[in-house]
Amino acid sequence: MPLSRTDSGQAPGAEAPESIGTVDQAREHLGDSDSNARRRAARAFVDFGGDPAVLCRRLEDEDNLAVIELAMTALVDAATGSDGDSAARRDTVEALISLMRSKNASVRVQTVSALQQVPDETAAFVPALMSDPDPNVRILTANLLQDFAHPDTHAWLRALLRTDTHVNVCMAAVEALAETGTPDMVEDLDRLVDRFPDQPFVAAAVAQVRRLIEGRSEPDGS
Amino acid sequence: MDHDARPTADIHLSDVDFERFQEFFYRKTGIQFGENKRYFVDRRVAQRMHETGSTTFRSYLTFVKFEVGQHEFQRLVDIMTVNETYFYREAFQFDCMVQDVLGECLVNRRGHGPLRIWSMPCSTGEEIYSIALYLLERWPKLREIDVELVGADINETALLQARRGLYGPRAVQNLPASILNRYFTPKDGETLEIKQDIRDAVDFVLCNICDKFIPPTLSNFDIVFCRNMLIYFDTLSQKRAVENIFSALRPGGFLFLGHSESMSRVSSVFTVRTFADSLAYQRPLS
């Protein structure tokens, strides 16, 4: 019967990956031409306690999504792990936040997803992100808050609705509230329509979210 | 560890104990037990505390954490992760495998080594043996192409049962009589034993899919079945697991998830492929 079994420690045909024994070796392999080697290097670099800012800078030029995703998971591990001290965890989150300005769209998207997994560590940075001079960073911050397990999330989103001067930031906040908004936010939504009277899509989006929120507040609404 | 064992019924976990257990078990395994699993967890922890003679949860946890060899930790994992399954469960995915996916794997593979298929978590073996039966019955190319089968699980007791290959009537209820007659031997009572040559064809490996590094034998797969596991994990554990599976697949290899599971919120690195019987996730060829 050609069902066979391999009991060896190494699968047949598997290329033995070049071993990475130090943080310097890991840093070197972050620039390897083979994406599998870069994935291994990203994990090793974080596990050896490499500077997260170095890895994040490297990700700016990374075009392989599998490498980006693995590096993000490794960074989230570093931001939540019991191995590092609180300063190291903060440094990791700070390095991740720097990627919200990345020119690489995949990196920006994955960064938001990573930060959503470490809300306690990220929360301290949110007020500064909300007042960032770059509206693209503020839009990403609203995206971040769409799925951000922190007690201040609604308050932050409402603050964006009330005060942000850029209509796209406000629309990102409206979108974030579509899933979790509550009736007490309707007033903020209505005021937003008044703040942007020349933008008909604001009124349309607010009307849609209002319907969702008011439907949700009904006893059997779901 | 204390040695004045109390009867299981007298052992109760406080809310704080439960939270500490949740946190510890998640950190070690990636598996999260919510409040809705409180009864399940309480009963099993109480059982382990009774059997180890622990009089308090704190002393039990200390024992589990620091025991040389981590035998009690493995027993705890085993008792917490038993999932009932059965032969030919969600068989439409096996149809997809033999009708569409294996053919593509033959085209994609480099060199002439065997095809490799991994079942994770394999529990007590029903899935990986189902795959073996499907190949034997419905994939004529098996006469020409070698296929290696690997089952892996975090539960050591389940792996032992898988290697034994003994099954009751519930596990085999979906199998036609012709398959039962050809590949199983009646044992005591209603128990059936899957034949030795099929048992011998499967390699069973202990593995925590959320570990940073999984055993090197878990690599170079053409197909991975990882069904109804990710739903028990939180986002970070799902990502770790999927990254390990991605690494374990050959370029062009396929992943089957449970029919109610989706990769969409976990990872974007796979290509979704829709076949006549099922969809599968493919690792890009390059």
Side-chain angles (χ1 to χ4, degrees), chain A residues 15-67:
Chain A
E15 294 167 21
E18 192 172 340
S19 76
I20 298 174
T22 67
V23 69
D24 289 336
Q25 288 173 352
R27 184 187 295 115
E28 197 176 314
H29 283 285
L30 288 175
D32 201 291
S33 59
D34 174 18
S35 61
N36 288 320
R38 297 201 300 280
R39 294 178 83 236
R40 286 194 299 274
R43 168 52 78 185
F45 186 76
V46 172
D47 290 347
F48 283 127
D51 182 351
V54 170
L55 178 57
C56 288
R57 277 198 295 276
R58 180 66 194 78
L59 287 178
E60 285 279 5
D61 302 321
E62 181 58 63
D63 58 2
N64 185 296
L65 193 53
V67 179

Side-chain angles (χ1 to χ4, degrees), chain B residues 45-58:
Chain B
V45 170
Q47 183 184 333
R48 292 313 310 156
M49 286 173 63
H50 173 70
E51 289 182 18
T52 55
S54 305
T55 55
T56 65
F57 177 74
R58 180 189 294 268

